[in-house]
Amino acid sequence: MPTHNNELRHQRNLHDTLLQVNHLLEKQKLVNALVRKQDTPRHELVQSLVAKQHLVELKHKLEQLHPADLAFVLESLPLDDRLKVWELIPVEKYGAILLESAEAVRDSLIANMERHQIIHVAEHLDSDEIADLMPALPKDTVFEILTQLDSQNREQVQSVMRFPEGTAGALMDFDMITVREDVNLDTVLRYLRRLGKIPHQTDQLFVVDRNSIIKGVLPLTELLIHAPDDSVHDVMRNEFISFYTDDSAHEISQAFERYDLISAPVINSHNQLVGCLGVDVVVDFIDATLQRERLNQAGLEEEEDLFAPVWKSGRNRWAWLALNLMTAFIASRIIGMFEDTIEKLVALATLMPIVASIGGNTGNQTVALVIRGLALKKINADNFLHFFFKEITISLMNGILWGSVVGVFALLLYQDIRLALVMMAAMILNLLIAALAGVFIPVGLSKCGRDPVMGSSVMLTALTDSMGFFIFLGLATIFLLPH
């Protein structure tokens, strides 16, 4: 409970900070407008002094904020105000803020930075952080940054950039502590004291030999509770969780959650230690994945700056709007095929949206389960048939139950038993189709190497709407109209 309260308090404080920044910006604009209207002998001097006064107040406020909070503030401001605030932030904080910012906002900030500023920012970042920023930097600047790095850092940056996005190699950090197994704990403690500080998220040291082959891990707790003259070999753990450079980040995030990991070594095919992963990086990956999935479900192809130009934001939404328009045309043509039926039985026009709507909701529930099962590797070839028949059985059960409810509703409204039975039959059939589509659409997309989140909901809704209309109106034409 205290942690939850602290989070709420932080969110309120962050919101209040954003309001204060907006207030100072608006205050500056208002005062500048009033000063410009006054015709005084020293008009320009007065305007300059007033502007500096408010900028000093705003700058003092920004200097007190954490880089992550500054990133939040910048993401919440229109482009002109964002750039004005960006210029007031010390250059030393630029790197940390860019790493915390959303990709779209980061691009807008880098686009307005001078070449020497970008190079200065890179000088204060670690190798893995530089690699994270590289895709957003101008190509000529990337070359200059690489040439200014020493051979070790340059090799580390290039190695991270060689790994595909979403792998351990692309996420790993090089800031870690290694020790040998043939030394005692007192030697390790003296070594740590000479370092003066340990990397963030360090809960264990990595034990390697002269060829950097990992032999085990030495948790800090074991280092502190054992006698100083104990050997690292006797205290270290030989069984530990490690990841290869090409392991999927999705699987890594699941392992971190399953085993409550804080850090883990990353090794190559020769079992040589090449980097490490910290829980902070994994949490950032999970958060970015969730945000991307939410955008994909809404039909947005990429993360969008809230204050991006209208043309760019509109273009980002075209693809799925076009697909929705096509599916809507298909549904309308299916309805058009039964115009005569609807004219003779007007009640059908009021009832058919119910069939389509329930089918869509049922299908989306199945899609959500399948996508989660695929992401967590819980659905596989061995259990697929069991899961499939379970979903079909649930849909059949729900179809009979809620089809009966809708049938009774139609009977009470229109006093027609045949219409009620058609409504019930259409509901059962459409829920079965929704279950089939809810299973096979995401599985099919996954088999084709596509993200099942992207498009599953749109394709499912199009299918259940079209088939719902077709089944209901088709059954009505067969059983309710005189032949």
Side-chain angles (χ1 to χ4, degrees):
M1 184 63 71
T3 301
H4 179 65
N5 290 337
N6 288 337
E7 290 176 356
L8 291 177
R9 190 180 302 112
H10 175 72
Q11 291 174 1
R12 286 197 299 269
N13 292 340
L14 195 54
H15 178 68
D16 292 341
T17 297
L18 178 59
L19 291 178
Q20 292 172 20
V21 171
N22 275 317
H23 175 70
L24 290 172
L25 288 170
E26 292 299 325
K27 188 176 179 181
Q28 183 191 21
K29 294 175 185 177
L30 177 61
V31 172
N32 285 344
L34 292 174
V35 172
R36 279 196 298 268
K37 291 180 180 179
Q38 297 178 0
D39 187 13
T40 60
R42 298 185 177 180
H43 171 77
E44 294 183 359
L45 178 60
V46 172
Q47 185 176 359
S48 175
L49 291 174
V50 171
K52 286 182 179 180
Q53 178 184 353
H54 289 92
L55 287 178
V56 168
E57 186 178 358
L58 179 56
K59 187 175 182 179
H60 178 68
K61 182 67 181 177
L62 297 173
E63 288 175 348
Q64 299 173 351
L65 298 180
H66 186 276
D69 296 339
L70 285 169
F72 171 82
V73 170
L74 291 168
E75 291 170 3
S76 306
L77 294 174
L79 185 58
D80 291 341
D81 289 341
R82 178 186 302 162
L83 297 179
K84 186 179 296 183
V85 169
W86 181 244
E87 292 175 355
L88 296 176
I89 297 173
V91 179
E92 291 72 22
K93 286 189 174 184
Y94 277 10
I97 296 171
L98 290 173
L99 290 169
E100 295 287 349
S101 299
E103 186 176 341
V105 174
R106 181 192 305 168
D107 291 343
S108 70
L109 296 174
I110 291 177
N112 287 274
M113 290 176 64
E114 299 291 339
R115 181 190 184 94
H116 70 275
Q117 289 180 319
I118 298 176
I119 295 173
H120 178 74
V121 166
E123 291 174 351
H124 293 80
L125 296 177
D126 295 331
S127 301
D128 58 306
E129 295 173 334
I130 295 175
D132 289 340
L133 285 183
M134 282 297 188
L137 301 180
K139 291 184 178 180
D140 56 341
T141 308
V142 168
F143 178 77
E144 188 170 347
I145 290 173
L146 289 176
T147 56
Q148 292 186 4
L149 294 175
D150 59 53
S151 58
Q152 181 182 2
N153 286 328
R154 182 165 58 250
E155 183 179 349
Q156 290 177 346
V157 171
Q158 291 174 336
S159 67
V160 171
M161 295 178 66
R162 279 196 298 266
F163 291 107
E165 185 178 358
T167 62
L171 295 177
M172 67 182 179
D173 188 358
F174 300 102
D175 197 9
M176 55 189 173
I177 300 176
T178 60
V179 295
R180 301 283 173 81
E181 61 180 325
D182 56 351
V183 300
N184 58 33
L185 300 186
D186 184 57
T187 303
V188 175
L189 288 169
R190 283 189 281 110
Y191 172 62
L192 293 179
R193 282 193 288 269
R194 282 201 308 270
L195 287 177
K197 64 177 182 178
I198 61 176
H200 186 53
Q201 303 288 355
T202 297
D203 67 321
Q204 57 188 356
L205 311 181
F206 304 117
V207 184
V208 297
D209 64 12
R210 296 182 183 277
N211 297 317
S212 296
I213 295 176
I214 189 163
K215 297 296 184 178
V217 297
L218 177 61
L220 294 183
T221 52
E222 301 294 328
L223 176 63
L224 295 175
I225 64 177
H226 282 83
D229 55 350
D230 285 347
S231 169
V232 170
H233 174 78
D234 297 331
V235 176
M236 73 180 190
R237 294 180 182 175
N238 297 309
E239 295 183 2
F240 54 93
I241 305 290
S242 63
F243 302 99
Y244 288 102
T245 52
D246 57 352
D247 281 347
S248 166
H250 288 283
E251 296 177 356
I252 292 169
S253 63
Q254 293 164 20
F256 263 75
E257 181 181 6
R258 186 181 306 118
Y259 303 115
D260 295 326
L261 300 177
I262 297 176
S263 68
V266 179
I267 59 178
N268 60 19
S269 57
H270 304 292
N271 286 332
Q272 291 175 311
L273 180 69
V274 293
C276 69
L277 292 169
V279 66
D280 54 343
V281 174
V282 175
V283 169
D284 287 343
F285 171 80
I286 294 172
D287 182 60
T289 301
L290 290 174
Q291 291 187 34
R292 184 167 59 250
E293 288 180 353
R294 293 191 192 103
L295 292 172
N296 289 344
Q297 288 174 343
L300 293 173
E301 293 185 345
E302 59 185 26
E303 187 177 9
E304 184 178 307
D305 183 356
L306 292 175
F307 303 100
V310 173
W311 174 258
K312 183 177 180 180
S313 296
R315 190 175 54 195
N316 187 31
R317 309 178 193 190
W318 284 353
W320 289 107
L321 289 176
L323 180 59
N324 279 328
L325 186 61
M326 291 174 59
T327 58
F329 274 128
I330 294 172
S332 69
R333 292 318 308 149
I334 290 175
I335 295 173
M337 292 167 55
F338 299 96
E339 287 181 355
D340 293 339
T341 304
I342 296 174
E343 286 180 2
K344 295 175 183 177
L345 293 170
V346 180
L348 299 178
T350 62
L351 294 175
M352 64 182 184
I354 299 176
V355 178
S357 175
I358 296 298
N361 289 336
T362 300
N364 278 319
Q365 290 174 343
T366 304
V367 163
L369 287 174
V370 173
I371 290 176
R372 178 170 173 77
L374 291 172
L376 298 177
K377 308 295 184 184
K378 292 183 177 180
I379 296 179
N380 51 54
D382 296 329
N383 60 24
F384 176 77
L385 285 179
H386 180 80
F387 174 79
F388 171 73
F389 285 116
K390 173 207 163 193
E391 288 301 311
I392 293 296
T393 303
I394 292 174
S395 294
L396 182 61
M397 179 184 69
N398 285 335
I400 294 172
L401 173 62
W402 298 107
S404 300
V405 172
V406 174
V408 171
F409 175 76
L411 179 63
L412 293 175
L413 280 181
Y414 300 103
Q415 305 297 315
D416 188 336
I417 186 64
R418 293 185 305 161
L419 177 60
L421 291 174
V422 165
M423 190 74 178
M424 179 179 176
M427 184 75 78
I428 294 172
L429 291 174
N430 200 32
L431 260 62
L432 288 173
I433 290 174
L436 287 169
V439 171
F440 284 108
I441 287 177
V443 169
L445 289 172
S446 179
K447 290 292 184 183
C448 295
R450 304 294 299 273
D451 185 356
V453 176
M454 190 71 170
S456 289
S457 181
V458 175
M459 296 168 65
L460 174 83
T461 303
L463 183 63
T464 54
D465 283 356
S466 300
M467 293 304 298
F469 294 145
F470 181 79
I471 292 170
F472 181 54
L473 296 175
L475 291 174
T477 302
I478 296 172
F479 294 107
L480 299 182
L481 292 186
H483 298 285

